Amino acid sequence: MKRIALAAAAALLLSACGSGGGGNASQELSKDPVTLRFTWWGADERHKRTQQVIDAFQKKHPNITVKGEFKDWNGYWESLATTVAANDAPDVIQMDELYLASYAERGALLDLGTASQHLKTADFDKSALDTGVVEGKQYGLPVGLSTYAIVANTTLLDQLKVKLPDDATWTWDDLKKTAEELSKAGGGKVTGMQSFGFDAGSMNIWVRQQGAALFDQADKVAVPENVLAGYWSFIKDLSKGGAAPSPSVTIERAGGSLDQSGTATNASAFATWWNTQLTSLTAASGQQLKLLRLPGESQASAPGAYFKPSMFWSVSSRSKHPAEAALFVDFLANSQEAADILLTDRGVPANTKIRAAIAPKLNETDKAAAEYLDTVKVGTAPRVTPNGASSIEAIIKRHTEEVLFDRETPEQAAKAFIAELQAEIDGA
């Protein structure tokens, strides 16, 4: 669905917008009545909270009316592409990292740096802000942040009498050995590790720890083949050595929901997840879970860990009211009033001041997720996913399956992955 939506967006945007970034924001607020359109995706709880924030903003700025337009994920991107192509885009847009470059490079988004009079970013780390930069301009303001982690089921470890490794120094081999020990102790009911290899997060971490990057600034797939081959070799070894489930079980879980995962069903003691998923996983498993730092970080020349934005706030480059739109984004991102309503609905806040302010109001697992975000050492932000590369996770998943079922060698998977992903980018 993501791939189809982006293809539609690209085709529509190509005719509607020129190349290059969007225009500059007028800094002057109108004294006359203004209506802004604000679009987002999400479920009912998000819609309810967002409307409460809109009401609070309108009370503070009675001459500005904000009309909400919300959809589920599947219908969101087709609708956005259609409105942008018709020069009828909403003023304020909830944006995803996979699509940011596509819209920004085609001139559909405003450079938020030109709206600095009304939109402040002083309480955002540079590494967080950089996640929304395309070609040197700030087209997205990160809403929430997450970072990759190992989630450990400490209840299972205690039951199986396996010691929790030291996550300040452990390596990927340490993880593998401990997982094999857990699988042996689990007697076929528990495996030590839930296999990864189905998302860009794990691949990014592996690549970054090797001093490489998935993409360069010229929209090229820049990762060396041998680095990717090492990634798939490790995943294969986890399965072959019994640290992870059989390929068929792994593939079945990868295609299921969070509640069907090895972590949620207490069938795997370790797994890779984003730190912000801790609350959902704990609720599903009913056991004690702990966020651990990534293996290999203490040996890497630079941190593999990085901030991943849950989503961005963006403003249409064709908004007739860019100053008011920027003011509304500032309220969403920087006001205590909005933060007290939204809490972690859109992730752990990227604004460090807001994150600290809402901490006492969070439950135990959300607090743990926020603390992990504050304490883990992260590197520079990866290059924003290039236009055309939104299909990356589908390509990763397909080659992981081929490797696990011995239909491809890790070397063949690496070579094919690079060629396929580059073709997607070149054809966008």
Side-chain angles (χ1 to χ4, degrees), residues 73-413:
W73 172 268
N74 290 337
Y76 184 83
W77 298 105
E78 182 178 354
S79 174
L80 182 62
T82 301
T83 57
V84 169
N87 293 327
D88 188 35
D91 300 274
V92 179
I93 301 166
Q94 184 174 292
M95 179 59 62
D96 187 77
E97 194 273 342
L98 285 175
Y99 299 87
L100 183 66
S102 174
Y103 281 91
E105 291 174 3
R106 298 176 189 278
L109 303 180
L110 183 75
D111 174 8
L112 298 179
T114 67
S116 58
Q117 181 175 327
H118 304 295
L119 175 56
K120 307 302 180 184
T121 59
D123 295 323
F124 290 74
D125 290 333
K126 183 180 184 300
S127 55
L129 289 174
D130 284 349
T131 64
V133 171
V134 178
E135 296 181 348
K137 295 181 180 180
Q138 192 82 47
Y139 291 111
L141 182 67
V143 180
L145 294 177
S146 60
T147 191
Y148 224 52
I150 298 292
V151 173
N153 186 321
T154 55
T155 302
L156 278 179
L157 267 74
D158 290 343
Q159 290 174 352
L160 298 175
K161 301 186 185 322
V162 174
K163 184 179 178 182
L164 189 70
D166 179 2
D167 68 336
T169 59
W170 67 338
T171 65
W172 288 101
D173 280 342
D174 291 333
L175 171 62
K176 180 174 174 288
K177 290 175 183 176
T178 305
E180 288 173 349
E181 182 182 355
L182 283 161
S183 293
K184 185 176 181 180
K189 295 182 179 180
V190 173
T191 55
M193 182 75 189
Q194 176 176 280
S195 186
F196 54 95
F198 302 92
D199 69 327
S202 62
M203 179 177 283
N204 246 317
I205 295 298
W206 187 277
V207 169
R208 286 162 61 86
Q209 285 189 349
Q210 307 301 315
L214 280 178
F215 307 107
D216 63 19
Q217 295 303 318
D219 290 355
K220 298 298 182 184
V221 181
V223 58
E225 285 184 21
N226 67 306
V227 172
L228 286 182
Y231 170 78
W232 271 303
S233 291
F234 185 79
I235 291 170
K236 184 174 181 177
D237 288 346
L238 286 176
S239 180
K240 292 290 186 183
S246 66
S248 59
V249 172
T250 289
I251 301 307
E252 181 181 0
R253 288 182 185 171
S257 65
L258 178 146
D259 288 350
Q260 297 169 311
S261 67
T263 304
T265 58
N266 303 312
S268 294
F270 291 123
T272 55
W273 291 96
W274 297 100
N275 67 310
T276 49
Q277 294 173 297
L278 181 65
T279 295
S280 297
L281 290 165
T282 300
S285 71
Q287 299 195 2
Q288 289 294 315
L289 306 181
K290 182 179 176 62
L291 294 170
L292 302 181
R293 284 167 287 191
L294 294 163
E297 289 289 82
S298 61
Q299 295 80 34
S301 57
Y306 62 95
F307 287 143
K308 179 184 183 295
S310 58
M311 59 200 70
F312 298 102
W313 300 131
S314 293
V315 173
S316 169
S317 62
R318 304 201 176 197
S319 173
K320 295 177 181 178
H321 307 289
E324 286 78 10
L327 189 69
F328 180 53
V329 170
D330 185 81
F331 185 80
L332 288 166
N334 294 322
S335 75
Q336 183 68 52
E337 194 170 1
D340 287 341
I341 296 169
L342 296 175
L343 295 176
T344 58
D345 176 72
R346 285 179 167 89
V348 177
N351 181 315
T352 57
K353 185 176 179 180
I354 292 298
R355 188 157 74 232
I358 68 168
K361 302 179 180 183
L362 302 180
N363 62 35
E364 183 179 349
T365 50
D366 280 344
K367 281 182 181 178
E371 288 170 1
Y372 183 85
L373 196 71
D374 286 331
T375 57
V376 72
K377 185 178 180 181
V378 300
T380 56
R383 185 231 191 269
V384 171
T385 302
N387 180 23
S390 67
S391 58
I392 181 172
E393 292 193 341
I395 300 175
I396 292 172
K397 179 178 183 294
R398 179 158 31 83
H399 287 295
T400 295
E401 292 178 1
E402 294 297 289
V403 168
L404 286 175
F405 285 113
D406 291 323
R407 295 192 289 257
E408 276 184 338
T409 66
E411 292 75 18
Q412 289 170 333

